[in-house]
């Protein structure tokens, strides 16, 4: 019998002291940048302090390196979509997710209604709002309240601590999320949404309002990087197969309509959110959490993605690279 290794080889991170120094350098390099604008289509997000900038890297063995405002809490927003997808994959499996939600990029903005109409009501993937609302509706539970509990508890297991809602963010978004309500009604008209549209949008909006820090994002991402084992609690949150499926969707669709550019420049599965968070996952190694509220036109943190690009190159995280490439002098465009 051949001795079959259990772990796919993805290479190793440099020594801990080197990783720590590079995380600090990434923060110092981009700290002064003022490029990008803070999102304000959800009114309260416009009040975020644009100076905040935190970076965190958690290795799969639980070692944490951070710099700047890595412990400042912000609403997780779209990054929740990645972890709800993992929970739904765990509950209903690969085939069902493929069939009912889809895994292909739309090439259109995250809140596009046209994408739905162009694809006969298919939400296309769980990272755009249509697909995310449809995915949340597939969470286990008979009632909306049970589904919400499953979301909150599931995301808390990824973070390794109880996550709570920012009530101000929740109320601000509920009062202004007409587009998401329209998307849910449209999904219902195509027979693509399980449950009451108003209730499903509310659960989705609550999941987006959960408070996390860059440190939490790194732990949540590192759980996906290590076959579902949380480096903080050592709890098995989801299976290794679910991590693989979730990361493939993030690679294709996680960074909005610029997912191709992200993969080309940075080369790891990732998800960003409009409050300025990014989680970037290096399978087998660990994950980066970043937070900085100024965004590019697609809705991704400018300083966060520059720091991820720098760290991906200097730490050798790019999945498509067979050796470490020196960081580029140039930056990601705003
Ligand atoms: N709650 C936000 C929305 O649905 C999330 C958007 C995002 O972070 O991309 O519009």
């Amino acid at each position: 019998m051949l001795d079959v290794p259990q772990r796919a080889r993805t290479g190793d991170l440099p020594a801990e002291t080197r990783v720590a120094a590079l995380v600090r350098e990434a923060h110092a390099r981009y700290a002064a940048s003022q490029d990008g604008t803070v999102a304000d289509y959800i009114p309260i997000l416009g009040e975020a302090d644009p100076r905040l900038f935190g970076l965190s890297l958690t290795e799969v063995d639980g070692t944490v390196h951070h710099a700047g405002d890595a412990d400042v809490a912000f609403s997780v927003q779209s990054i929740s979509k990645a972890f709800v997808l993992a929970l739904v994959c765990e509950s209903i499996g690969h085939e069902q997710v493929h069939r009912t939600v889809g895994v292909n990029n739309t090439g259109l903005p995250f809140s596009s209604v046209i994408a739905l109409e162009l694809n006969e009501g298919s939400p296309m993937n769980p990272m755009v709002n249509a697909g995310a609302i449809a995915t949340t509706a597939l969470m286990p539970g008979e009632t909306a309240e049970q589904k919400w509990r499953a979301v909150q508890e599931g995301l808390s297991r990824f973070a390794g601590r109880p996550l709570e809602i920012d009530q101000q963010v929740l109320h601000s978004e509920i009062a202004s999320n007409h587009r998401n309500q329209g998307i849910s009604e449209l999904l219902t008209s195509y027979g693509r949404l399980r449950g009451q549209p108003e209730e499903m949008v509310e659960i989705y909006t609550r999941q987006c309002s959960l408070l996390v820090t860059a440190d939490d994002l790194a732990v949540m991402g590192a759980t996906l990087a290590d076959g579902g084992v949380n480096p903080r609690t050592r709890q098995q949150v989801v299976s290794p197969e679910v991590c693989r499926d979730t990361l493939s969707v993030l690679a294709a669709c996680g960074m909005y309509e610029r997912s191709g550019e992200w993969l080309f420049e940075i080369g790891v599965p990732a998800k960003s959110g409009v409050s300025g968070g990014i989680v970037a996952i290096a399978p087998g190694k660990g994950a980066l959490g970043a937070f900085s509220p100024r965004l590019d036109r697609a809705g991704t943190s400018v300083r966060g993605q520059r720091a991820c690009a720098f760290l991906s190159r200097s730490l050798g995280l790019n999945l498509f690279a067979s050796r470490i490439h020196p960081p580029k002098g140039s930056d990601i465009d705003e």
Side-chain angles (χ1 to χ4, degrees):
M1 261 279 277
L2 280 177
D3 185 15
V4 183
Q6 292 299 302
R7 196 173 266 277
R9 287 294 302 160
T10 56
D12 298 307
L13 286 170
E16 271 179 32
T17 47
R18 176 93 185 120
V19 178
L22 285 167
V23 169
R24 284 195 302 272
E25 186 180 338
H27 188 271
R29 265 182 176 235
Y30 304 111
S33 162
Q34 298 195 6
D35 295 337
T37 41
V38 177
D40 59 4
Y41 77 98
I42 299 170
I44 193 140
L45 296 186
E47 295 174 20
D49 181 350
R51 292 167 302 182
L52 291 170
F53 180 30
L55 288 178
S56 185
L57 187 152
T58 294
E59 301 190 24
V60 290
D61 69 2
T63 308
V64 178
H65 311 275
H66 40 201
D69 304 306
D71 58 353
V72 171
F74 56 94
S75 56
V76 63
Q77 297 299 337
S78 261
I79 300 173
S80 63
K81 295 169 180 171
F83 299 96
V84 171
L85 166 63
L87 296 170
V88 167
C89 281
E90 184 77 23
S91 161
I92 67 171
H94 182 105
E95 289 305 322
Q96 274 284 89
V97 168
H98 190 182
R99 228 173 314 121
T100 47
V101 188
V103 294
N104 284 317
N105 202 317
T106 65
L108 289 164
F110 64 92
S111 58
S112 174
V113 173
I114 292 176
L116 261 181
E117 293 286 35
L118 287 176
N119 293 290
E120 293 159 355
S122 165
M124 294 303 284
N125 72 69
M127 298 301 126
V128 291
N129 288 5
I133 296 165
T135 304
T136 294
L138 294 170
M139 281 295 288
E142 293 304 313
T143 64
E145 195 51 33
Q146 285 168 350
K147 286 182 190 293
W148 160 243
R149 289 285 157 225
V151 168
Q152 188 176 25
E153 282 164 21
L155 264 55
S156 299
R157 282 201 302 281
F158 271 108
R161 69 176 188 93
L163 299 180
E164 299 298 336
I165 284 181
D166 182 325
Q167 294 293 342
Q168 272 192 304
V169 170
L170 177 63
H171 292 127
S172 182
E173 184 161 354
I174 282 186
S176 57
N177 66 353
H178 309 293
R179 179 175 280 266
N180 286 343
Q181 292 173 30
I183 285 173
S184 311
E185 295 291 348
L186 201 52
L187 281 170
T188 302
S189 78
Y190 278 109
R192 301 270 193 172
L193 187 66
R194 190 193 287 178
Q196 290 300 318
E198 326 74 63
E199 288 182 346
M200 297 309 121
V201 180
E202 170 147 359
I203 304 175
Y204 165 77
T205 312
R206 287 193 202 181
Q207 84 185 40
C208 289
S209 312
L210 287 170
L211 285 167
V212 293
T213 63
D215 281 331
D216 289 326
L217 289 181
V219 170
M220 295 170 86
T223 304
L224 292 177
D226 195 27
V229 178
N230 181 310
R232 225 177 228 173
T233 63
R234 305 311 302 169
Q235 193 189 2
Q236 184 88 44
V237 181
V238 289
S239 70
E241 292 75 17
V242 161
C243 295
R244 179 205 59 206
D245 290 346
T246 304
L247 294 179
S248 68
V249 173
L250 295 190
C253 318
M255 303 305 277
Y256 305 116
E257 63 275 28
R258 298 182 83 173
S259 297
E261 277 171 84
W262 171 277
L263 218 49
F264 191 65
E265 293 294 343
I266 300 172
V268 291
K271 183 75 202 87
S272 60
V274 290
S275 50
I278 300 180
V279 62
I281 297 115
K285 297 182 180 128
L288 287 165
F291 170 54
S292 172
R294 285 203 180 92
L295 311 179
D296 69 8
R297 281 180 302 260
T300 297
S301 166
V302 175
R303 287 192 294 193
Q305 66 188 305
R306 287 177 182 165
C308 287
F310 170 80
L311 287 169
S312 172
R313 284 178 173 254
S314 51
L315 294 171
L317 307 182
N318 191 318
L319 293 177
F320 309 105
S322 42
R323 59 192 61 179
I324 289 184
H325 300 275
K328 288 197 302 184
S330 66
D331 281 321
I332 305 277
D333 289 340
E334 181 209 326

